[in-house]
Amino acid sequence: MALEDSAFPSRPESLSLPVVEKGKGPVQEASEVTASTGVFDVSEDLGHVVTTDTTQPGVNRSWKSKLAERQANAASEEYVKKLPRVVEKERGRFGWAKRRKTQRYVEKNGRCNVSHGNMRETYRYLTDIFTTLVDLNWRCSLFVFVMAYAITWLFFGAIWYLIAYLRGDLDHLEDETWTPCVNNVNGFISAFLFSIETETTIGYGHRVITDQCPVGTMLLLLQAILGSMVNAFMVGCMFVKISQPNKRAETLVFSKNAVISLRDDRLCLMFRVGDLRSSHIVGANMRAKLIKSKQTQEGEFIPLDQTDISVGFETGDDRLFLVSPLVISHEIDCRSPFWDMSQGQLEKDDFEMVVILEGMVEATGMTCQARSSYLADEVQWGHRFSPMMSLAEGFFDIDYGAFHQTFEVDTPSCSAHELSLAAARLEAHLYWSISSKLDEEKWEGSSLTNQSGKQLDNGKGGVVGPVSFTVGEITGIEEQSGPGELNGSVTTDQSESEA
């Protein structure tokens, strides 16, 4: 809020005031405090507010400036209250640093932490009333179920009572010559009971409609039709709600932690999934998403951006035969979002990996989906899942006690990118070292051939001994490669050697 009427003297454009934060030793300095009073600065932990007062002592301020200052302070306090109180590093019981608590996008049980607010087009829920009733919780569903029948019974019971009242049936209860619309209806309670008997088709036989009441006949037909519709609608809602495959997902379990270790000399991110029931999930399919906020090169901030994580879509490994627990592996390659993430960066990074298992329930044929998520502190670097399958007599025994257990293995702490560069440098070093050795052997062989040639030229007669061995070796190479085809050497004949 700009204070146009305040009587402030001239002051510098920016001030640098030392501010000591509570509970911390280092001293911070407020940066560029403007000329308005009550300037506040929100620190990185979104919970610390630094307020500076730029008024000089001894200056009388007007009531407008004081009011503006109070409003600014109140607005700053209200703003801070709305901010999420996220502490970067909390201290444990013994003063050890703990990792900050991150708000989950998807809970471990699969529930999504998303609240839809400020929805003004609520009439859209009524256009799909069946799905709305199915999505209600059990308490609301039972309340709607009971009220639907009670309201229809009361409504038609009141109409039956009104017909009896208008026809004068209630005034001729003792008159045996009078033919009422409905026999034995002597009040509202009896009319209500007749409505229940009509809609539920019980028919005790004590209260019966007569043929002297055409209005009652039309009302009987209308109640029978509407009663059947209410029965079909409400029973259908309850059946769908009971047979929903959401509870089937309770027996699909995910490991508490994900691990990163080497598989075939490649860093892989792995987690385990299993099915506790003996009835299988038909056509099980696995997907994974990385939930992480990012900022584009143009400066656009995208909160909770979703990036696909490959778990074998190209090779078909994402289609599971989930008879026993399986370890789902994501190979960290150049297309992976974890390509440049090392062990040190994992400890500082803030992300969430959502895993989704979809399939069809074998018993009901309905599609089921199970979800879970892993935060950055739930990913263990240098670990591997413990084996849980053993061979028994005639079957394979699965020990679910070791489902969440892991053990440490030797794993480089560098990123997959750095690991691939190191492997490429090692491969290049081996290539050049082998080729250099081959070149040395080649040059040694050529020098030996030149020495033998000199001995042949300097001899006066036939040369024997080592010279004949050299000639014989050259002749053998000539026979393998063909006469006259040996490059860089002298080809000789057997007749020349004999001479």
Side-chain angles (χ1 to χ4, degrees), residues 11 34 57 91 133 180 209 217 243 255 412 425 441:
R11 57 178 57 86
T34 59
R91 294 291 173 179
L133 294 176
I209 188 172
T217 304
S243 61
S255 58
R425 286 194 296 267
E441 293 178 359

Side-chain angles (χ1 to χ4, degrees), residues 36 102 134 225 241 256 416 473:
S36 61
T102 307
V134 171
I225 295 173
K241 191 171 183 63
K256 294 181 180 178
E473 183 181 359

Side-chain angles (χ1 to χ4, degrees), residues 278-289:
S278 57
S279 59
H280 309 311
I281 296 294
V282 180
N285 185 23
M286 177 62 67
R287 294 185 293 124
K289 291 285 185 180

Side-chain angles (χ1 to χ4, degrees), residues 321-498:
F321 182 54
L322 198 60
V323 178
S324 61
L326 300 176
V327 176
I328 309 301
S329 175
H330 162 65
E331 182 179 337
I332 304 178
D333 52 10
C334 59
R335 296 172 295 178
S336 172
F338 307 109
W339 176 241
D340 295 318
M341 186 184 67
S342 62
Q343 184 178 4
Q345 293 174 349
L346 174 63
E347 297 175 355
K348 301 176 182 178
D349 207 347
D350 185 11
F351 64 86
E352 182 176 357
M353 183 179 67
V354 179
V355 293
I356 304 170
L357 174 63
E358 293 180 338
M360 188 173 61
V361 182
E362 187 179 23
T364 61
M366 302 183 70
T367 303
C368 172
Q369 184 182 93
R371 298 180 295 267
S372 186
S373 67
Y374 300 96
L375 297 178
D377 56 354
E378 295 174 346
V379 179
Q380 297 178 343
W381 190 286
H383 283 249
R384 187 178 297 166
F385 285 105
S386 301
M388 52 184 301
M389 180 182 293
S390 60
L391 181 60
E393 293 184 2
F395 60 92
F396 293 94
D397 186 23
I398 306 297
D399 181 16
Y400 275 94
F403 184 81
H404 303 285
Q405 295 180 2
T406 61
F407 61 94
E408 294 186 5
V409 292
D410 294 334
T411 305
S413 60
C414 62
S415 64
H417 190 189
E418 296 172 350
L419 187 63
S420 65
L421 292 178
R425 286 194 296 267
L426 180 61
E427 184 179 357
H429 175 71
L430 292 176
Y431 173 78
W432 288 111
S433 61
I434 293 174
S435 51
S436 60
K437 290 181 180 180
L438 292 176
D439 292 339
E440 290 177 359
E441 293 178 359
K442 180 179 179 180
W443 284 109
E444 289 177 358
S446 61
S447 62
L448 183 61
T449 305
N450 292 334
Q451 291 178 2
S452 63
K454 290 180 181 179
Q455 291 181 2
L456 284 172
D457 293 339
N458 293 331
K460 294 182 181 179
V463 181
V464 294
V467 177
S468 62
F469 171 77
T470 304
V471 173
E473 183 181 359
I474 295 175
T475 306
I477 297 175
E478 181 185 357
E479 291 176 359
Q480 292 179 2
S481 58
E485 294 181 359
L486 187 61
N487 296 329
S489 61
V490 180
T491 58
T492 59
D493 223 4
Q494 186 178 0
S495 60
E496 293 180 354
S497 64
E498 292 177 357

Side-chain angles (χ1 to χ4, degrees), residues 130 149 225-239:
F130 185 82
Y149 285 102
I225 295 173
L226 291 180
S228 300
M229 295 176 62
V230 171
N231 288 332
F233 189 81
M234 297 310 301
V235 172
C237 287
M238 297 302 293
F239 175 76

